[in-house]
Amino acid sequence: MLSMIPRLIGHRGAKESAPENTLASIREAAAQGVGWIEFDVMLTRDGVPVVIHDDTLDRTTDGHGPMNAVDHAALKRLDAGSWFDSRFAGERVPDFTEVLDLARSLTLGINVEVKPYPGQEEETAQTVVSVLQQHWPDNGRLLVSSFEVPSLETVRRLAPAVPLGYLLWEPPPDWAAIAGRLRADTLNVDQERQTARSVAEYRATGRPVLAYTVNGGARAAELFSWGVSAVFTDAPGRLQREMVAL
Ligand code: G3P
Ligand code: MG
């Protein structure tokens, strides 16, 4: 069953203040007072689930090349913090299990985004489900999401009770039918595309609407006034302050 999700979800931790999708970013999100975090899970060449957004190493580490060409041992030697700021030198690309352990110790809820390397939609989802079954077995304070329908189908088949979020960017014409077939619990939509009318249309399916990625307090307030339930933000502390000041 879907837990209550707070209004703000830290996007890749708190990526405005720390290198995205690292343990430091998750600690920073918790320090900024957020109750939930979102992060992205992809497989290494040898099938280990790790927390990284891009399908190449270049932007967020000191390595190079595609994610499906790096083994876990080699990945763990890369620096995932210096590109952001020298204060974060030595941060690593975390394992999915490390992030789960840290989130639990900080009592954070989690939105696990299945972010498959192209062609690994089912395998990535299978691995995410099997790690969650061992490390986060009660489904509480959990939402698993993906843009990839084959990944979502795999999660739903293997874990019928897992709260599932259908991520939409350019919604296909049959998005409502897909959401129904998946028994999606939430619709996670691109905030830039939203209007009062589009949010009403999503909400008419009976599902909470979550919007990514919102980094201004006035825009967050507008989305909430249209009935959006929660927003993903790179800057939870700043957004909270901006909304209070409105
Ligand atoms: O899950 C919300 C958001 O993270 C989706 O887009 O590209 O930032 O993973 P992206
Ligand atoms: Mg994401």
Side-chain angles (χ1 to χ4, degrees), residues 11 38 40 113 115:
H11 185 231
E38 183 266 3
D40 309 287
E113 183 184 340
K115 187 73 104 180

Side-chain angles (χ1 to χ4, degrees), residues 136-183:
W136 204 280
D138 66 1
N139 289 335
R141 294 158 67 88
L142 170 67
L143 181 67
V144 177
S145 64
S146 188
F147 288 104
E148 307 305 327
V149 172
S151 296
L152 293 167
E153 286 171 343
T154 300
V155 173
R156 185 45 88 229
R157 178 168 53 79
L158 297 175
V162 159
L164 201 62
Y166 181 18
L167 265 165
L168 294 165
W169 183 58
E170 273 182 354
D174 56 343
W175 64 266
I178 294 172
R181 202 177 72 229
L182 290 167
R183 285 181 290 113

